[in-house]
Amino acid sequence: MRKALAELIHARLAPLVAEFVPNPRDFFELQTTPDPAKGDFALNAAMKLAKPARTRPLDLAQKMVAALAAETAWFTKVEAVPPGFINLFLTDEAITRELGRFAEDAEMGLRRDGRPETVVVDYSSVNIAKQMHVGHLRSTIIGDVLARVLSARGDRVIRQNHLGDWGLPMAMVLWKATPLLRDLEAKGLDPARELSLAQLETLYREATRACEAQPEAAAACHDILVRLQNGDAVLLQDWRTITRLSMREVYRLYEELGVLLTQEDEAGESHYRDSLADTVRQIRESGHLVESRGAQCVFLEHFKAKDGSPLPVIVQKSDGGFNYETFDLAAILYRIHALKASRLIYVTDARQALHFAQVFDVAHVCGWTKDPGRPVTLEHVPFGSVLGEDNKPLKTRSGENVKLADLLAEAVERARAVVEEKNPDLPEETKRQVARMVGIGAIKYADLSQNRNNDYVFSFPRMLALQGNTAPYLQYAHARICSIFRKAGLPADGAFGPPRLGHPAERALALKLQELPTAVAAVAAELRPHTLCNYLYELATQFTSFYDQCPVLTCEDPARKQARFFLCRLTQRVLARGLDLLGIDAPREM
Ligand code: ARG
């Protein structure tokens, strides 16, 4: 609806101001009004354009009102109010007409105008031989939502899991694991069956301790790293074994979380091993490489140490080795040239903000983002930490990182109690399924519904509450609508209508439903999933208020009843679509 309305407004108002501003469209943004007495939408165009038009805002607003007043199919009233705002009051017919169109669109108005863009979303990006903990949760689920949202808008999304699989930690695990692997082989056993990720993690921890205490251990690990990076066949084979073993458990968690990442999306640090030298060469050719104390560096203007001296980005160490930075620079070239992306998005902890700012700046000064004849944008999507009830980063009682697997299991178990309380008569199998949807959904939603820049306190009771801005609340709203159809003996995916408005709660719901594309567009622009969460929560609340005031099943007027079924069905679809964009299941009963 907004799109159609915006077109109309542009067509009527642009001629009034075209001689004063080149791009009037930018000024006609429709705003939602705080209360219905001020109309359904407002425009502040006259406020912003009065100055270039050399007139008073109210005078310009009145002129604009006069140009819109004839559109009686759209407006019951258009008014100019001091100091120069314009309030638009829509006709019920306009709302239902646009609502009908919205309901007929299989894409639910989500497709954006313009050419699709190729977007890389780098997320999850776990490290091999370490179990996923809550820190990886945020990258994984925020990144997944961004990938879903951008592809729903029509962009070509390429997911990239930039695994930490080619650095010293890997060498340290290999140092400890190699003898074990040989031993298993001698016994004719399959390491993939015999070893777990938890064991690998223990080996890594042992190696860390050894390297700290004994220089020989550190030297041995460094030697392994060099041999691995030089392509030692046996080490490469072991490296592969460990990577697959490690990722097997990661995929188990992705599946449980309903995350889209697959093996095809893997492009870890090792993926760039043969292009690192070339990356450095390209930096040299652009004239920005400087040797400093034997290391190859780029000095950037914006990054200074505390004493004002320029801070180097080291792209090749004095021993010839490469850094985390170099891998990311190689990845940028690959994503721009091989993947042909024009938008690169990186979802990591805020603590990596400086890393990305520097890497992006190197890419910009080297001209890589202008090179391919299309502008390339690089965006870091940072997020805060998950805290425990003590406001410190979430840890187990013994002070260890909380394992994601344990967290998910506990959420599902606790959700089971919620289902049991809400609907004890459900068959056992359904209870189990619903508990999974609710438990996993609750964890994801609690994370996604926060402005990602903030830290948040992890709390099972809060995220599983059936009231408030939680997954169970939205899931329950969805299930409740499905149960309305069940009670009426109607198919849940039936078509109803036509829409018709009578009660103010119907009108408010009809308007709210059509705001889905706006909420999703905001997520795509700002890369903040909580905007969509807030929208869905408002929608569910609006639906509750409609359902409290407007009887559906007991409605006696058949046409009105059909129109209410229409609103129910559309609300159910919008909730399900919105939850799906968040990667959360919408149960049909609960
Ligand atoms: N593996 C890294 C870590 O756990 C995150 C990688 C993020 N992506 C990237 N292209 N640097 O810290």
Side-chain angles (χ1 to χ4, degrees), residues 122-128 130 133 136 139 160-165 267 269 272 324-325 327-329 331-332 335 345-349 352 355-356 359 380:
D122 176 323
Y123 70 103
S124 197
S125 301
V126 293
N127 298 323
I128 298 302
K130 288 199 204 152
H133 55 75
H136 295 111
S139 172
Q160 293 278 279
N161 200 347
H162 189 91
L163 308 178
D165 62 357
E269 293 176 352
Y272 304 103
Y324 185 47
E325 283 76 4
F327 287 95
D328 263 322
L329 289 163
I332 289 178
R335 291 165 183 185
I345 293 171
Y346 296 78
V347 189
T348 79
D349 196 301
Q352 296 200 31
H355 164 76
F356 284 109
V359 163
H380 180 221

Side-chain angles (χ1 to χ4, degrees), residues 212-230:
E212 277 162 12
Q214 314 152 12
E216 317 82 78
C221 290
H222 187 257
D223 177 57
I224 288 182
L225 182 63
V226 172
R227 282 193 326 190
L228 174 71
Q229 296 188 340
N230 286 334

